[in-house]
Every structure is written in structure tokens, then in C-alpha cells.
Amino acid sequence: MKKLKVVLLFAILLLFSQLSYSQITGSAHDFSGETWNTTGEICIVCHTPHNAMTGIADAPLWNHQLSTATFTLYSTGTLDATMGQPDGSSKLCLSCHDGTVALENFGGITTGTTEITGDALIGTDLSNDHPVSFTYNTALATADGELEDPSTGLSGLGGTIDDDMLISGKMQCSSCHDVHNTAGINYMLLKSNSASALCLTCHLK
């Protein structure tokens, strides 16, 4: 039974990688041509079919060293959400984008020296970035008064905000960004932000 589960999981990952491979090729997450990626592969920087890391939620066969940084969080007097350190899929994004972990630190390597630079470097100070890793539910929308109820509000992607954009009921980096670039939109957005359409999915303005 255990072997069957492993085979099924690998088959799902293989199908998933085939579906998203063409979109990743040539995108900002195509690392196949980088000198620090000596494998020449695209997927392996983040995912591996064998000996994947465990212990973090929403991490499909994760292969990249995680950050251990403590982040300065977004805070304002109008924030009704309960904030905590980044978790889930946002923790995965920050394993590169916080600049504390080398890009080539995958597959068990922890001695890399190539760190992310430029606009892609978010750093560990998240006080000027959209908050992540907080529970976004009906209670929060009601308390805030200017948020769409995620259980009924439509995402514009076929279902509700909860169904299509939240991860285990939380707002994460991947609530707005599609790391596999499926839609082919600038900044790897989940959907177009023309006329602030992405922002206005959740924010009532």
C-alpha cells in the first residue's frame, strides 16, 4: 500500500510538472540555464520525486533549503487579521526571496553562495509588503468591513476566493502569484491586475 501511494504521488507530480513545464520555461522561475544550477533541470530547484523535505504544510515534494529567519511583519492600526510568522507556501517562497538562503541550496546542499538580488529580493522586513499567512475568513471580512467574504465572494477564476486563492484558509504569496506562471501574466500574477482587478477581488473599495 505504501509503495502504491508513492507511485501515485510521483504520477501526480509528473502530470503536474508536464502541465506547468511549458509555462515555467522562459519565465522568471526557469533556472535551467543558470550557472549555479548544475543539473540544468527546471523543477528540481524546488521539487524532487525522491528524498523530499517534510515537516511544512503545502510543500509538494519540496527540495529547497528553508529560511530560518525571523521576519518583521506588516502592522497597522487598521489591520484586523491576527499575524504570525510566515508559514505554509509563503515560507517556501521566502526560502529564496528573503535573501538569506542561497539559490543553489537544494537537494541537500547548504553551502551555496548565490543569493537572490534586484526586485526579486524581498528581504526579511515584510513591514512594507502585503501581509501573508493570516486566516482570511468570514469573521475577518465581517470585522474589517472592507473585505469580500471569501466563502461567497467570487475569485474570477471559476469559484470562490476560498476555493481558488486561499491555501488552507490562509492568504499566502500564492494567493496572488502563480509560481508556475500558468496564466503567463507579468509578475507571475494569478490573474490580471488591470484596473486593480486582482486587488479588488478581495478589497471592497
Side-chain angles (χ1 to χ4, degrees):
M1 179 62 88
K2 186 176 180 181
K3 287 184 178 179
L4 178 60
K5 288 181 179 179
V6 171
V7 170
L8 287 173
L9 186 59
F10 178 69
I12 291 169
L13 178 65
L14 182 61
L15 176 62
F16 178 69
S17 65
Q18 288 175 337
L19 290 173
S20 59
Y21 183 84
S22 61
Q23 288 83 17
I24 296 175
T25 302
S27 76
H29 280 170
D30 181 354
F31 303 126
S32 59
E34 300 292 341
T35 56
W36 51 263
N37 180 11
T38 57
T39 70
E41 297 180 35
I42 294 178
C43 302
I44 201 167
V45 175
C46 297
H47 305 286
T48 181
H50 302 290
N51 302 312
M53 296 172 62
T54 59
I56 185 167
D58 306 312
L61 297 175
W62 193 249
N63 197 35
H64 198 277
Q65 181 186 357
L66 296 176
S67 171
T68 59
T70 298
F71 296 89
T72 303
L73 304 178
Y74 179 89
S75 179
T76 174
T78 61
L79 182 66
D80 294 301
T82 300
M83 299 300 300
Q85 289 293 305
D87 61 19
S89 57
S90 292
K91 183 93 171 176
L92 308 184
C93 299
L94 289 166
S95 70
C96 282
H97 288 278
D98 77 351
T100 70
V101 178
L103 295 171
E104 67 264 42
N105 282 9
F106 63 89
I109 296 172
T110 59
T111 56
T113 58
T114 310
E115 294 179 356
I116 201 164
T117 60
D119 293 340
L121 174 60
I122 296 173
T124 60
D125 183 355
L126 307 182
S127 62
N128 61 352
D129 298 290
H130 193 289
V132 294
S133 301
F134 64 88
T135 298
Y136 177 17
N137 55 18
T138 301
L140 177 63
T142 300
D144 184 89
E146 293 187 345
L147 289 175
E148 189 74 58
D149 184 340
S151 68
T152 57
L154 299 179
S155 67
L157 299 167
T160 66
I161 295 168
D162 196 2
D163 291 334
D164 298 335
M165 302 177 78
L166 304 185
I167 296 84
S168 299
K170 288 188 173 184
M171 175 78 184
Q172 302 285 16
C173 299
S174 54
S175 296
C176 294
H177 297 279
D178 175 9
V179 297
H180 297 114
N181 199 41
T182 306
I185 300 172
N186 285 345
Y187 306 108
M188 291 186 163
L189 295 180
L190 199 64
K191 65 183 224 181
S192 172
N193 198 35
S194 177
S196 300
L198 177 58
C199 303
L200 293 172
T201 303
C202 299
H203 294 274
L204 301 175
K205 299 293 182 184

